[in-house]
Amino acid sequence: MTHPPLLPFQTVYGAPQPLDWLCLAPHPDDAEIGAGGTLIRLAQAGRAVGILELSRGERGTQGTPQIRVQECARAAVLMGLSWRGNLGLKDGELADTPAGAHALAAALRAVRPRVLVVPHHRDRHPDHFGTYHLARRAVHLAQLRRADLDGEPHRISRTLLYQGNADIQPGLLVDVGGVQAQWEAAVRAHASQFTGEAVSETVTPEIIERRRARQSYWGTLARVRYAEAFEAEDALLVDPLAL
Amino acid sequence: MTHPPLLPFQTVYGAPQPLDWLCLAPHPDDAEIGAGGTLIRLAQAGRAVGILELSRGERGTQGTPQIRVQECARAAVLMGLSWRGNLGLKDGELADTPAGAHALAAALRAVRPRVLVVPHHRDRHPDHFGTYHLARRAVHLAQLRRADLDGEPHRISRTLLYQGNADIQPGLLVDVGGVQAQWEAAVRAHASQFTGEAVSETVTPEIIERRRARQSYWGTLARVRYAEAFEAEDALLVDPLAL
Amino acid sequence: MTHPPLLPFQTVYGAPQPLDWLCLAPHPDDAEIGAGGTLIRLAQAGRAVGILELSRGERGTQGTPQIRVQECARAAVLMGLSWRGNLGLKDGELADTPAGAHALAAALRAVRPRVLVVPHHRDRHPDHFGTYHLARRAVHLAQLRRADLDGEPHRISRTLLYQGNADIQPGLLVDVGGVQAQWEAAVRAHASQFTGEAVSETVTPEIIERRRARQSYWGTLARVRYAEAFEAEDALLVDPLAL
Amino acid sequence: MTHPPLLPFQTVYGAPQPLDWLCLAPHPDDAEIGAGGTLIRLAQAGRAVGILELSRGERGTQGTPQIRVQECARAAVLMGLSWRGNLGLKDGELADTPAGAHALAAALRAVRPRVLVVPHHRDRHPDHFGTYHLARRAVHLAQLRRADLDGEPHRISRTLLYQGNADIQPGLLVDVGGVQAQWEAAVRAHASQFTGEAVSETVTPEIIERRRARQSYWGTLARVRYAEAFEAEDALLVDPLAL
Amino acid sequence: MTHPPLLPFQTVYGAPQPLDWLCLAPHPDDAEIGAGGTLIRLAQAGRAVGILELSRGERGTQGTPQIRVQECARAAVLMGLSWRGNLGLKDGELADTPAGAHALAAALRAVRPRVLVVPHHRDRHPDHFGTYHLARRAVHLAQLRRADLDGEPHRISRTLLYQGNADIQPGLLVDVGGVQAQWEAAVRAHASQFTGEAVSETVTPEIIERRRARQSYWGTLARVRYAEAFEAEDALLVDPLAL
Amino acid sequence: MTHPPLLPFQTVYGAPQPLDWLCLAPHPDDAEIGAGGTLIRLAQAGRAVGILELSRGERGTQGTPQIRVQECARAAVLMGLSWRGNLGLKDGELADTPAGAHALAAALRAVRPRVLVVPHHRDRHPDHFGTYHLARRAVHLAQLRRADLDGEPHRISRTLLYQGNADIQPGLLVDVGGVQAQWEAAVRAHASQFTGEAVSETVTPEIIERRRARQSYWGTLARVRYAEAFEAEDALLVDPLAL
């Protein structure tokens, strides 16, 4: 009698399934803050959207892994996600390592996203640029037939970078004016981080005001009210009719 | 009795009309070589597409303005353009001047493109980067209600840059594999330039082979057979469902 | 009997005098929007601060030159400026020309600023980057003993660039959290532009909300509430004790 | 009785010897595809040229390490190489690690190249940029007298980067028009990769057509028929008489 | 009975204490060569200034760890440092590793610098850019309340990069013309490196002449006689009155 | 009876002749300061080398056009130039204008250089970047058969940029250690500029010391004693045997 392979991740919400978009988050809440509005728009349009946290955020000042998992699940509902998981890597030490890359590659094979959204390499936080570098190697491994990995090889079609804590020069902007309420609710679902004392620039009750101002900044450049900023990892194949 | 304002340009093909896309070409044939496949795809999809030459190419070694106008008209048919015009500025001296900017701005008001495609500022040829700089000022003038210009103010929605003679690092690629025959025919319509002696890197019978190799280079990067390369002038507002 | 040389500019407020900082504005209100908080802080600290508009904004949709001069004078009072002038160049055509450079160089000799603040060359608006390029030549001419100019040669110590309508990657941020009320009042003094219909991204009643969000964006990066963004033209000689 | 130190690499062709140029390849065939024409030209001119593969390509879909070694040897003959070796690091995990750096540094001491050619850091493939980063550390170690390494310290004179799978902006181009036949033969020697099914952008029977188009792209920029693209790691000391 | 935590570093001079500036040096003498003049100026002004070497330079050709510690102590006196320490990591292998990052983070908590000065990531020497990357992670860990670290969390206010062996494009210059004699003495205190045979570009009796020429180069750009070059890691919050 | 066309330039030394290298200088002495050592090396090797000043430097504080022409002629002898000329454009107003471009293009046709050396566009001085932009257009015009110009069309093979007053990031370095005495003599031949009062960063008796320190800075990077820095305008076609 055979048994299914051990999954390299914990499911926090929904069930592992083929996804259209998957957003990688170093810690719980990073995806909501940086790309939440875009993910909500996609889910509203019926796309299968997921988030995979790489760590449980256990070194964060506020909250515990148990509490944060519950917050993640609640936010998943509010965002309309199809799946949310956690890879269980070590908070504070996210980097391009063979073990991490194999774990992430196995997860990518399991949920098979078409579009992968990763933190921008230009960021202050080592876990953020560490996730970027880890993802580049995992994307490669996931498509190798001879990798030491369970699951069918899978090729990501497109990789996008989202903004973390640092200034970037984005090539792509997404209008998130129509989903402000849902976005705010999804961020606020991480109550352990955004109520109580301000312990850092990101762990603060001001987070909505701060990040909404950022969305306004990008929105002004795109002549909409609020926008999220992305960069394409490679030159983007586009349909000219959509320009 | 009033009469219509003098048009700042000569019509080479079709009739001035509101356009979806307009490509600015320093000389006859530049648009075909750099962005022809994309323009053909748009026209095939029913979009109103135009080309405006800024000069008549009168300083080119081959051909005469009369011959080149006829070639332009023939290429317009082959590409399915809605309109093609010529601004009559001086070949070899295209630059950001008040007179040139006003002439171009008036033309923009007349044909009112949504998307404007201009030569990349990173180019060897002074007329190419001169056209880029001239266009930036004309785009601004065209939208000013108090500009000394005929016509209704008009705002361009989106400006794209196409590749000329120099290497660029494009952010956007367009698949032109399906229109290779039409593209080649449109370029070859400029027979005065591409038959007979090779007088420069661009005025040569090898032009198709050379530029097709370029399309292959960009295509390989985008995992298609042939692609044309563009850059967006500003961060691009995109629909995430189209990514 | 000799008479004083004709001044190359009109005084809008105060009297021409040696200035510590001078901000060049393509049109009335540009300085307030982009660098107003910083200028107010300097004036509050007793520095002699001035603004020189290069044009009267006569091609703007709203207001008239007469109205805008009055608005400029009122804003000057609110900001605590020592002087405000207007160079009277042609709106929409600001660029690096010999005549413009000589006029601006003569003005620089007249008010002799130590620090010059100019629009960033990375901007959508041709008058903005045109002012940048014009200023570079004028700064050079102003220091030449044999320039065809009245006045004593003058050398600018430091040139800073301020943000206009486009995204920049600033090297320097200035905390403007303490002068929000004054900054808002100074911008609103340009009532012809910021009341009534929104005619563009900058000429809109939303201007305060939009630009305050921008100040919040920069402020977050600097761990203050609101900041304005600048770039130094050259490597900045700094006192390490001030870092 | 003493014995010679264990060599840190396997010799695939020829004998370890002082080399003029050494090209580092993450996997068998990378050197041929990216820099093969240039290496052939050097060998034809009598220079001692070598290739060192860092891995045996054991995770590639096609071929086996045994087959690929034979292909490497055959290509070495076709290219006129003096030596070809394999470092035996783990395919898919090439990165800057102490063990890898010491192994590579020992190899550099053994074959003592004057010019080292490495993959460009701007590449999609983690093994490619991993090789670049690994090489930077190994180059340093190889010259340290007190490194824990056998062999005499050796200093590389010049490091060049060659193009892998991504677009680069090369500073240097080498005319490879005269060695097209040899280059094609050397690439085709890797028959396990380039016959049969296309499994990726690089493992495909189209490889010659694709990479020749790339050579045509660079060649057009340099006014020759075909060229390979390189970048110098540092500012290049040049003889002005050779410019 | 409790005992104080084991310090993660050796003290070479002075006593661990809260510092205003701390300069990280991959090896003994790197700080003097790249940032010595600036550190001397700060110490002369009464600031508490320290240097932390990450390795003992045991792989350098000249000197021994014992001799180099004595040279470090002597240079510390000459520079007026408050403290100098050594982290004891492995020379030649400095990189972003979990163990190294925890050791460095613990040291940062112990001496609690306000300003941290690190090697520039653009450098030929792997230990130099390795130190930069290691420091980025350590700066993050040092501020985490839940890091596995002794000591109180500490946040660095400002990170500056100093020049090592490669060309950089500095944003900040510091006048070091007034401390040339002290700077030269501090560098020469590392006698094992700078007397006797020239073994590399940096380990040479010419070091003063070479680096003084560099200071002259930067000084010329800033209109002073000699300057050291720095870059700010993030946009710099500045007091406009100090500009 | 026909007469030869009016030359668009004045000859200062030697006779107009086909040149191997031509260096464009905005003012007398710019070529010596920025590229003098390289030009001397070429002349010593028997190459026909020339300098063309674009202006007579009539707005400089020191010297007169008459004196400076004599200094130019003397420096030409010391450098071993084959020809030196002056285009007579207006000092302080060098820029990309049609008249200037035609004058320069005619000069290029007259002396037909293979390699053209122009000021870097990244420079503080408007005449320096103005010369760069003017040269780009003139290079184009010179090769057009139908340009309104006397002389046979001529195509420049290679354009290099030399350093002026600003920091650059050069790709190419030339060893000038062997011609220090000749270089110093050639610079000092411009006695009106470099004796007497220091009136600017470049017009100062310290010029030799300052620029030699710069040569030392570049030399250190290239492991030679003194070097001059250049950048290639386009990717450089190189002979791999010369690397």
Side-chain angles (χ1 to χ4, degrees), chain E residues 21 40 86 188 228:
Chain E
W21 284 52
I40 290 167
N86 194 298
R188 289 201 190 283
E228 286 176 344

Side-chain angles (χ1 to χ4, degrees), chain D residues 120-138:
Chain D
H120 201 286
H121 49 80
R122 190 174 165 183
D123 199 293
R124 297 173 176 173
H125 196 309
D127 283 343
H128 287 212
F129 55 76
T131 296
Y132 168 82
H133 291 294
L134 180 62
R136 284 215 293 178
R137 192 171 297 268

Side-chain angles (χ1 to χ4, degrees), chain D residues 60-169:
Chain D
T61 302
Q62 312 283 30
T64 63
Q66 292 70 29
I67 290 171
R68 302 189 75 173
V69 157
Q70 293 165 9
E71 294 171 346
C72 280
R74 190 158 47 228
V77 175
L78 292 167
M79 299 174 80
L81 298 185
S82 296
W83 174 76
R84 186 166 202 156
N86 194 298
L87 203 59
L89 299 181
K90 205 164 172 184
D91 186 11
E93 300 183 16
L94 299 178
D96 175 12
T97 62
H102 279 81
L104 180 53
L108 294 177
R109 286 187 171 190
V111 296
R112 313 182 77 69
R114 188 179 62 84
V115 178
L116 185 69
V117 191
V118 302
H120 201 286
H121 49 80
R122 190 174 165 183
D123 199 293
R124 297 173 176 173
H125 196 309
D127 283 343
H128 287 212
F129 55 76
T131 296
Y132 168 82
H133 291 294
L134 180 62
R136 284 215 293 178
R137 192 171 297 268
V139 164
H140 176 70
L141 283 176
Q143 70 189 359
L144 286 184
R145 299 190 194 177
R146 290 183 181 166
D148 299 329
L149 288 171
D150 288 320
E152 279 300 295
H154 176 68
R155 199 172 71 72
I156 303 292
S157 290
R158 186 162 279 187
T159 300
L160 301 177
L161 285 55
Y162 68 99
Q163 186 174 16
N165 300 332
D167 186 31
I168 63 170
Q169 292 203 294

Side-chain angles (χ1 to χ4, degrees), chain E residues 83-178:
Chain E
W83 174 75
R84 185 164 202 157
N86 194 298
L87 202 59
L89 299 180
K90 205 162 171 185
D91 186 10
E93 299 183 16
L94 299 179
D96 175 11
T97 62
H102 278 80
L104 179 52
L108 294 177
R109 286 187 170 190
V111 296
R112 313 183 75 71
R114 187 178 63 84
V115 178
L116 185 69
V117 191
V118 302
H120 201 285
H121 49 81
R122 190 173 164 186
D123 199 292
R124 297 173 177 173
H125 196 311
D127 284 343
H128 288 213
F129 56 75
T131 296
Y132 168 82
H133 291 294
L134 180 62
R136 284 215 295 179
R137 192 171 296 268
V139 163
H140 176 69
L141 283 175
Q143 71 188 359
L144 287 183
R145 297 189 196 178
R146 289 184 181 166
D148 298 330
L149 287 172
D150 288 319
E152 281 299 296
H154 176 69
R155 199 172 70 72
I156 302 291
S157 291
R158 185 162 280 188
T159 300
L160 302 177
L161 283 56
Y162 69 99
Q163 188 175 14
N165 301 333
D167 186 30
I168 63 171
Q169 290 203 295
L172 305 174
L173 297 174
V174 172
D175 185 347
V176 295

Side-chain angles (χ1 to χ4, degrees), chain A residues 32-50:
Chain A
E32 280 86 342
I33 294 176
T38 301
L39 299 178
I40 290 167
R41 280 192 56 187
L42 290 158
Q44 285 184 347
R47 300 293 175 88
V49 176

Side-chain angles (χ1 to χ4, degrees), chain B residues 98-198:
Chain B
H102 279 80
L104 180 52
L108 294 178
R109 286 188 171 189
V111 295
R112 313 182 76 69
R114 187 180 62 83
V115 178
L116 185 69
V117 192
V118 302
H120 201 286
H121 49 81
R122 189 174 165 184
D123 200 292
R124 296 172 177 173
H125 195 310
D127 283 343
H128 288 212
F129 56 76
T131 296
Y132 168 82
H133 291 294
L134 180 61
R136 284 215 292 178
R137 191 171 298 269
V139 164
H140 176 71
L141 283 174
Q143 70 189 359
L144 286 184
R145 299 190 194 176
R146 290 183 180 166
D148 299 331
L149 288 170
D150 286 320
E152 280 300 296
H154 176 68
R155 198 172 70 73
I156 303 291
S157 291
R158 186 162 278 187
T159 300
L160 301 177
L161 284 56
Y162 68 99
Q163 187 174 15
N165 300 333
D167 186 31
I168 64 170
Q169 290 203 295
L172 305 174
L173 298 173
V174 172
D175 185 347
V176 295
V179 293
Q180 283 294 303
Q182 298 90 328
W183 170 74
E184 179 171 343
V187 174
R188 289 201 190 283
H190 298 273
S192 67
Q193 308 300 304
F194 305 126
T195 56
E197 182 193 6

